[in-house]
Amino acid sequence: MTTMQTSMPAQAVYKDTRSLWERLRTNRNWLALWFMLPTAAFLILFLAYPLGLGVWMSFTDERIGRTGIFIGLENYEWLWSDSIFWLSVFNTLLYTIIASAIKFAVGLYLALLLNRHMPFKAIIRAIVLVPFIVPTVLSAIAFWWIYDAQFSIVSWSLIKLGLIDHNINFLGDPNMARASVIFANIWRGVPFVAITLLAGLQTVSPSLYEAATLDGATDWQRFRYITYPLLTPIIAVVMTFSVLFTFTDFQLVWALTRGGPVNATHLMATLSYQRGILSGRLGEGAAIATAMIPFLLAAIAISWFGMQRRKWQQGSDND
Amino acid sequence: MASVQISDVRKSFGGFEVLHGVSIPIEDGAFVVLVGPSGCGKSTLLRMLAGLENITSGTIAIGDRVVNNVQPKERDIAMVFQNYALYPHMTVAQNMGFSLKLRNAQAGDISTRVKKAAEILDLTPLLDRYPRQLSGGQRQRVAMGRAIVRDPQVFLFDEPLSNLDAKLRVAMRTEIKELHQRLKTTTVYVTHDQIEAMTMADKIVVMHDGIVEQIGSPLELYDQPENQFVAGFIGSPAMNFLNGHLKVNGGQPYVETENGSRLPIHAAPATSDGRPVVYGVRPEHLDLASDGIEAEVAVVEPTGSETQIVARIGSQELIAVFRDRHQVAPGDKIHLRPRAEVAHLFDKDTGRRL
């Protein structure tokens, strides 16, 4: 660059005599700003504004039908000493951790199975996706019947097999209800994890496995040293999404238990809805919802800093 | 180091046979190149030798051991892949030491052997880099380093230079040959490039449509091709072929082409007057003369060290290469005289050498 400049004759310096408007009209950055505006408008209107409004509301005593006034952290102070709120935090963490861990394990196992050569591969892959494409409320209603206190097909089958002698109280017993909603969430979430990891597996070049075979790797060593490390960037993305979806889950639990029995399955999302909409205390509901944000940010941060950026992915491709 | 015996090996995919009984003896320490056009089965054969494909019938022995049912990792071979197959998440040193690590070698031992291999291949300053940070030629060397660290019985190369640019390919060719001269490990090398085969091999195996066409040293294949396929495949530019009939005039045999030119031959096989044959002569074995085949110059291609001339005889094209700078231009009529002592005769129907 410097040699370029020194070799340029001084009188060649170009003076821009165009008007301001003329210059703006041909400025690429100015043009780019205009192209970005429509998208920015949508994001501000539908994402930033509701989020900001929700956070603001959590600092007021707004109720349905009555504008609130600013009350500072009063809603949060109230929640701090509310045992039901803390129960919902515990439930949400339990629900997220157990469901995500099992979804990951089962999803990875399914992906590895589906990555093999087998007959009817395309159809089997399509079938795996079914729980994901069925509307959540529909599958929740199906589970509701499966878990029904009197007509449960599971209870009926086990009784007919002679394994138990009375119906299982799936949604009536606190721990049983927790296990039941977690199971339904896993059933619904596994396809997403499995299909995304399968897509990741297919990007791994088969010659790497052949090279590893010749290097003397067993099946387990090929998974441990080739498949797993090459899959970590995708695992990070998939599990971040999975954790976020699970943490903010509402539909499934609301349709199955509405937080019962005795708040045993109340998640932060369902509690927020119950307090904010059903009881009409919008401020308090907003505070519960806002309390979820730090957890979500923490999940994203762990994934971003801990797993996504790998040293071996950086640097240029010199092919 | 070990010898390799490939005996009557066949391979079918489904009901489709791609290798039809291939037998190749490979001596201990030899550098053998399998060469042929794509689809001839050379890579499949190499993969069978590595244990990545099953052997449908026949046997492959490494040393004294038949390896048909021996797991790849127990065959004691190392392979360099066309796309190098470097583990992207491991550094150069980890890539090279991976096989030793899987065998539970001592960390100190791994590092000594990796360093030694890195020195041979000039990779020492790159040991902590990841494959993405390397150039094509460097990746190629890492792939070879991964193979030599193991000190295997046999090296297998599957078209290792085809992803490199022309200049680097020539340099790596020399490097691989030097490496072999230094390590003297039995090497089987697959390529579709006959120049690579000619320059590197002790012994070339020309394959075509799942059979072995000819096995021999580079110059044997060049001087005495057993059939028309080998004659046309080895040598660049390729050998010229002219159709004609064998004639004898007063004890002097010659080939008469369709348009009446007389092509000289050194000696006729059996006296078989009028037999249809294919006359083969290499471009470098044609001389400009005052008599001989009359041809019209179509294209003149000077390369500096030599000049290629494409000439037409009727509908047939003939390529000639001259080291001298003749003044010829497209449209000129010239006379080309083949050197009888290095001309080749092939049977018109079977393509076999006469």
Side-chain angles (χ1 to χ4, degrees), chain A residues 68-84:
Chain A
I69 51 158
F70 182 76
I71 53 166
L73 292 174
E74 212 171 287
N75 282 325
Y76 294 97
E77 282 160 16
W78 167 255
L79 286 176
W80 190 262
S81 50
D82 177 6
S83 64
I84 295 175

Side-chain angles (χ1 to χ4, degrees), chain A residues 22 46 48 53 83-84 89 107 132 145-146 148-149 161 166 172 174 176 199 204 213 216 222 229 240 284 303 306 315:
Chain A
E22 195 65 17
F46 294 113
L53 190 64
S83 64
I84 295 175
V89 172
F132 190 59
W145 275 108
I146 291 171
D148 190 89
L161 284 170
H166 59 275
M176 215 46 201
V204 180
T213 306
R222 279 202 292 276
T240 311
E284 192 186 330
S303 144

Side-chain angles (χ1 to χ4, degrees), chain A residues 197-211:
Chain A
L197 290 183
L198 176 62
L201 281 177
Q202 289 179 338
T203 63
V204 180
S205 159
S207 65
L208 290 184
Y209 292 120
E210 290 181 346

Side-chain angles (χ1 to χ4, degrees), chain B residues 4-13 17-22 44-62 65-72 75:
Chain B
V4 175
Q5 285 292 334
I6 298 171
S7 314
D8 196 29
V9 161
R10 287 167 192 274
K11 175 71 185 175
S12 305
F13 290 107
E17 197 173 80
V18 293
L19 285 176
H20 316 288
V22 169
T44 307
L45 186 60
L46 192 78
R47 292 169 59 83
M48 288 160 85
L49 185 48
L52 297 172
E53 300 277 356
N54 289 324
I55 299 164
T56 308
S57 77
T59 58
I60 293 180
I62 297 174
R65 184 170 63 144
V66 172
V67 294
N68 285 36
N69 296 316
V70 175
Q71 288 295 310
R75 293 190 183 195

Side-chain angles (χ1 to χ4, degrees), chain A residues 169-207:
Chain A
N169 193 7
F170 282 109
L171 301 178
D173 172 72
N175 284 331
M176 215 46 201
R178 283 176 180 146
S180 299
V181 290
I182 287 173
F183 180 84
N185 180 278
I186 290 168
W187 179 83
R188 198 183 138 61
V190 158
F192 170 70
V193 178
I195 293 295
T196 319
L197 290 183
L198 176 62
L201 281 177
Q202 289 179 338
T203 63
V204 180
S205 159
S207 65

Side-chain angles (χ1 to χ4, degrees), chain B residues 246-267:
Chain B
L246 203 55
K247 293 277 168 67
V248 182
N249 185 9
Q252 180 60 41
Y254 64 90
V255 171
E256 191 174 272
T257 62
E258 283 144 4
N259 61 355
S261 302
R262 289 183 172 199
L263 307 169
I265 47 175
H266 201 51

